[in-house]
Amino acid sequence: MSRFFTGTLSALKPYTPGEQPQDMKYVKLNTNESPYAPSDKAKEIAKEHLRELNLYSDPEGRLVRDKLSEMYGVSADNIVLGNGSDELLFFSFRAFCDEGMPALFPDITYGFYPVFAEINRVPYEEIPLREDLSIDISDYADKKGTVFIANPNAPTGRTLSIGEIEKLAASRPDSVVVIDEAYVDFGAESAVRLTEKYENILVIQTFSKSRSLAGARIGFAIGSRELIADLNTIRYSFNPYNINSMTLAMAYGVLCDEERVRDNCKRIAENRDYTASRLKELGFEVIDSKANFVFVRSEAIDGERLYTGLKEKGVLVRHFTKERIKDYNRITIGTREETDILIDRIRELM
Ligand code: PMP
């Protein structure tokens, strides 16, 4: 740290992204990307819609918002785009939390939430998951604060039902409930339709997982006009051109080939079942997942040893050092061929 770094953030511990090593070719099952590249059709459409780069990108992202509006049955005024859903999560902490409105989220969830709270200097409370790593919404009942819930949750893969989300939002009309649906397309139910009835629900989704665009950096939020206007106030106070023209064109292209996206999700869900059953054969405990990853542990091999052993053998998975989950690894669902390599390598290690 330089002596110039602001004292107010001197204790900030930044988020550690999953490794993206370039030293060799790994079977990469550590950052929940899609194993499938965007389709040729999506790329062709993107080319036709790419705006010249001497011009700024459209700060309104009209092309993409109009298409999303059609697809999700909400007005374009109910949608805002972000540079990855991470940016929209950051904006939400900025817009809907402060000294008097803390952030509330599970103790085991997306590791960026506490970092966003810290950088925005917002107090936060981590609410313990149940023993089986599921969320009990009644734990949030008597607490004041803006709630952040990933559904499916990461890294567990467990989901809340839409009924539970509705109950949670209805029970706390004076605070925002942010539902982070980064993994929703792999088998959970979206809360988008609840955003019409509940002005306090904000749904955040991403193009990084089911839509194969992790490298393009784009996500979107859907909520009441007022919530979206608040996020735009933050966005226009920070970076109006937050989505570049290449990304806008590519995102539009991918939205024009939804059939491919649906097929990919189906293939990944099928391979999730296959991966889970192969791991169970090896004696792993596999948490029931609706996401494009599984969260697993085994009494026969320590969590960290599995992670390092697999890395040495060219397979990357994600291990977290937090005490409560240090026995586990989170394994992204790739192709069936990648699963077969993973299983062979685990066998060798065991
Ligand atoms: N939410 C959750 C739960 C995630 O796991 C991720 C991916 N790391 C994100 C949001 C952010 O995704 P992106 O910024 O790529 O849209």
Side-chain angles (χ1 to χ4, degrees):
M1 192 192 311
S2 82
R3 64 194 168 90
F4 306 107
F5 193 61
T6 174
T8 55
L9 291 179
S10 58
L12 182 66
K13 284 201 185 62
Y15 176 71
T16 313
E19 302 163 274
Q20 306 286 350
Q22 310 291 328
D23 58 329
M24 61 177 263
K25 192 151 172 43
Y26 287 92
V27 172
K28 207 172 163 302
L29 305 177
N30 67 330
T31 44
N32 300 340
E33 291 138 326
S34 174
Y36 307 114
S39 69
D40 289 342
K41 178 178 167 185
K43 288 178 193 163
E44 280 309 312
I45 294 172
K47 267 188 220 156
E48 287 160 24
H49 288 81
L50 178 60
R51 180 166 157 147
E52 284 295 355
L53 295 179
N54 56 316
L55 304 176
Y56 280 108
S57 60
D58 174 13
E60 301 255 322
R62 274 273 155 204
L63 193 62
V64 172
R65 279 170 59 234
D66 286 348
K67 190 78 187 165
L68 287 169
S69 145
E70 225 175 80
M71 291 168 60
Y72 286 87
V74 297
S75 152
D77 295 337
N78 298 111
I79 305 173
V80 60
L81 305 179
N83 192 304
S85 53
D86 280 341
E87 188 181 54
L88 294 164
L89 287 163
F90 178 94
F91 289 170
S92 304
F93 275 84
R94 187 77 268 213
F96 307 123
C97 303
D98 60 26
E99 267 307 308
M101 184 57 81
L104 306 173
F105 44 82
D107 63 338
I108 306 299
T109 189
Y110 184 31
F112 233 137
Y113 298 165
V115 181
F116 286 145
E118 296 278 352
I119 195 169
N120 285 301
R121 305 176 68 201
V122 159
Y124 63 94
E125 187 178 347
E126 297 178 300
I127 314 229
L129 295 178
R130 292 189 186 106
E131 195 57 36
D132 67 356
L133 303 185
S134 62
I135 293 170
D136 184 347
I137 55 163
S138 67
D139 292 340
Y140 293 75
D142 302 322
K143 296 184 190 292
K144 184 178 180 196
T146 299
V147 177
F148 291 82
I149 285 187
N151 195 46
N153 196 12
T156 65
R158 285 203 189 282
T159 51
L160 282 179
S161 71
I162 214 70
E164 287 172 295
I165 289 172
E166 178 160 14
K167 215 162 128 190
L168 179 68
S171 71
R172 42 190 319 117
D174 296 324
S175 55
V176 177
V177 175
V178 177
I179 307 295
D180 174 355
E181 295 189 346
Y183 302 104
V184 74
D185 295 335
F186 301 104
E189 204 183 339
S190 173
V192 165
R193 69 177 171 78
L194 295 180
T195 60
E196 278 179 51
K197 186 166 168 199
Y198 297 92
E199 59 171 7
N200 61 332
I201 297 186
L202 183 75
V203 173
I204 299 184
Q205 291 198 13
T206 181
F207 281 72
S208 297
K209 314 294 176 184
S210 60
R211 294 196 165 104
S212 301
L213 287 183
R217 312 304 303 127
I218 179 166
F220 57 99
I222 298 183
S224 68
R225 269 167 197 263
E226 292 76 13
L227 289 183
I228 297 303
D230 294 341
L231 292 176
N232 273 317
T233 299
I234 306 289
R235 190 172 69 87
Y236 277 99
S237 308
F238 171 66
N239 180 12
Y241 307 110
N242 61 334
I243 318 292
N244 72 68
S245 300
M246 293 171 288
T247 293
L248 283 173
M250 198 60 222
Y252 179 72
V254 166
L255 292 179
C256 292
D257 194 3
E258 267 298 283
E259 204 181 317
R260 176 66 72 89
V261 171
R262 268 197 302 274
D263 279 357
N264 288 347
C265 289
K266 192 162 158 274
R267 280 200 279 175
I268 290 168
E270 282 164 8
N271 197 36
R272 179 180 64 213
D273 295 345
Y274 172 73
T275 308
S277 66
R278 297 287 313 269
L279 287 164
K280 283 178 189 165
E281 280 165 24
L282 292 178
F284 277 84
E285 181 191 328
V286 182
I287 294 182
D288 190 27
S289 168
K290 290 274 185 282
N292 67 337
F293 55 82
V294 283
F295 201 46
V296 306
R297 69 175 169 184
S298 159
E299 291 197 341
I301 185 160
D302 171 75
E304 184 162 9
R305 209 168 74 72
L306 180 65
Y307 158 74
T308 46
L310 282 173
K311 187 172 175 187
E312 279 160 21
K313 290 176 178 291
V315 178
L316 286 180
V317 298
R318 188 90 200 251
H319 179 254
F320 301 89
T321 49
K322 201 166 189 169
E323 187 57 30
R324 197 175 172 191
I325 51 169
K326 68 179 177 20
D327 295 340
Y328 290 85
N329 277 284
R330 190 195 68 193
I331 303 176
T332 301
I333 304 302
T335 61
R336 183 167 283 231
E337 295 69 35
E338 287 174 318
T339 296
D340 289 338
I341 295 170
L342 166 82
I343 297 294
D344 285 349
R345 299 298 168 266
I346 294 179
R347 265 225 189 86
E348 289 163 17
L349 284 168
M350 288 174 118

